[in-house]
Amino acid sequence: MRVRDPKLVAALPELGALLEPGTSLAELTSLGIGGTTDLLRITKHDAIPELLNLLDAESVPYKFLGGGSNLLVGDGELPWLVLQLVSPDPDIVLEGRFAQVDAAADLGRTVTFCAKNDLGGMEGLIGVPGTVGGALRMNAGAYGMQIGSYVRQVKLYRAARRKLETLEGDQISFEYRHTSFAPDDMMLAVKLELPSKPYREILKGIRICNEKRRASQPLGQKSAGCIFKNPPGASAGRMIDELGLKGLNVGDARVSDRHANFFVNAGKASQKDMLTLIAQVRERVQKSFGVILDHEVVVWNA
Ligand code: EPU
């Protein structure tokens, strides 16, 4: 989708939106898959409702991109614009045990920044790629913790009401890789309440999680983390592994040799390759275990 209407292009700077024409989403996603579209980088939260009203009035479809680390995007010329927040400086402000964090802040940097200020709890999230907003929307978690446990307040753009809102933690439900946010809500900032812990102790926890991750996940390769959610009481990775499907491929889309629930782009995989591989694996798991696996990865079709 290309923004061509001169009236729209002229209105963007005042709304704090920077237009980057012809951006490749393969370069903005950890899987390295995705076609091309115009990108609008947003620098002013307060102007978001006006910007989106304008795009709607001009019938320009759009999607919100976080860090692109849990996303499988369609190939070719994409039929919608992509909007992405620009992280302000500073993007994390601490006040006692509370951290006010911009949604565009890098998750790993947030974990280490808080740790250095003796605020722990998020050790398990070290090594999870993406932004704080993306982690919030999916309720990212690992090694027995999930980000939702620490959320006290969220500022967001509520698409259904077309306005900016602030929700208290108890107004949001956080479940396993699922939240009560609507798919078109846009996370803007979050207030976390974190347990006080000495930095050296947090660092120990961070090192343990890093080692576990390095030992079991294909960190150097292009992936979107786990492709499927774990079904209740079972592990998708173990089931796929037990079926001997590590290394199975469709073109350059491949089941990782290291962790069977990570599907990697080993070269020039397309969305179609990856979706075909996902369908094949899902079918094999259903046949053998009678379990229908749910995507964890978010799919944006062209
Ligand atoms: N296993 C295998 N073969 C494999 C992979 C795993 O036998 O190829 C076995 C492991 O040996 C272990 C069990 O399956 O006994 C569980 O594996 P692991 O500890 O790696 O955890 P997981 O359930 O596969 C979950 C999250 C990960 C998170 C880890 C660590 C989901 C879908 N995955 O993986 O999160 O990093 O626990 O807490 O919930 C993600 O969400 O993208 C993600 C990577």
Side-chain angles (χ1 to χ4, degrees):
M1 158 75 59
R2 299 305 156 114
V3 181
R4 292 230 168 79
D5 178 4
K7 205 176 80 207
L8 181 54
V9 174
L12 293 176
E14 208 168 300
L15 297 171
L18 314 170
L19 178 62
E20 294 187 11
T23 301
S24 160
L25 284 211
E27 282 164 28
L28 294 182
T29 54
S30 59
L31 259 175
I33 295 175
T36 304
T37 187
D38 282 359
L39 175 71
L40 275 186
R41 307 200 74 221
I42 296 178
T43 63
K44 281 189 202 166
H45 287 180
D46 291 348
I48 290 173
E50 198 181 335
L51 172 67
L52 299 185
N53 283 339
L54 184 64
L55 294 178
D56 290 341
E58 299 294 326
S59 304
V60 176
Y62 49 84
K63 290 184 181 290
F64 302 127
L65 176 70
S69 58
N70 193 40
L71 199 56
L72 174 55
V73 181
D75 308 307
E77 183 65 34
L78 301 167
W80 21 260
L81 281 190
V82 168
L83 274 49
Q84 191 178 38
L85 295 174
V86 174
S87 197
D89 186 18
D91 52 2
I92 310 170
V93 176
L94 301 181
E95 216 185 287
R97 296 202 296 112
F98 293 97
Q100 185 71 38
V101 190
D102 192 85
D106 178 74
L107 180 62
R109 207 183 77 73
T110 302
V111 175
T112 48
F113 182 89
C114 292
K116 282 179 186 159
N117 288 279
D118 300 320
L119 293 175
M122 297 196 290
E123 293 85 333
L125 289 176
I126 200 74
V128 174
T131 59
V132 167
L136 186 64
R137 146 167 302 291
M138 289 294 296
N139 192 19
Y143 305 114
M145 61 75 56
Q146 51 181 27
I147 193 167
S149 316
Y150 302 109
V151 172
R152 297 295 171 262
Q153 211 173 56
V154 173
K155 185 179 163 201
L156 74 168
Y157 170 76
R158 288 232 111 169
R161 299 195 193 161
R162 313 188 68 83
K163 59 179 185 134
L164 303 181
E165 277 184 20
T166 299
L167 297 180
E168 300 303 316
D170 58 12
Q171 293 177 279
I172 309 160
S173 86
F174 290 99
E175 291 152 46
Y176 168 64
R177 301 297 191 274
H178 180 79
T179 59
S180 50
F181 298 118
D184 50 2
D185 284 344
M186 186 183 203
M187 307 295 113
L188 299 176
V190 60
K191 186 181 192 179
L192 302 168
E193 184 180 6
L194 299 166
S196 295
K197 251 193 204 178
Y199 176 48
R200 284 175 58 180
E201 214 176 288
I202 303 172
L203 201 57
K204 268 190 219 156
I206 285 180
R207 288 203 175 120
I208 292 170
C209 292
N210 265 335
E211 270 165 38
K212 282 193 196 163
R213 210 178 277 284
R214 237 179 272 131
S216 64
Q217 300 182 357
L219 299 187
Q221 286 177 282
K222 291 180 179 170
S223 85
C226 286
I227 283 283
F228 298 111
K229 292 182 188 177
N230 283 333
S235 158
R238 183 183 289 150
M239 289 191 281
I240 301 167
D241 193 1
E242 279 178 12
L243 291 173
L245 300 181
K246 280 183 170 169
L248 180 73
N249 74 297
V250 174
D252 280 336
R254 182 179 296 274
V255 178
S256 159
D257 292 321
R258 187 165 273 236
H259 193 300
N261 197 13
F262 278 64
F263 292 11
V264 300
N265 173 9
K268 290 199 160 91
S270 63
Q271 187 203 40
K272 193 163 170 243
D273 295 335
M274 198 51 87
L275 288 176
T276 309
L277 184 65
I278 290 171
Q280 285 181 5
V281 171
R282 177 190 273 129
E283 202 182 311
R284 296 280 299 272
V285 168
Q286 189 181 356
K287 242 187 196 160
S288 303
F289 295 96
V291 171
I292 300 175
L293 292 176
D294 260 358
H295 281 182
E296 181 185 295
V297 70
V298 175
V299 179
W300 286 358
N301 288 320

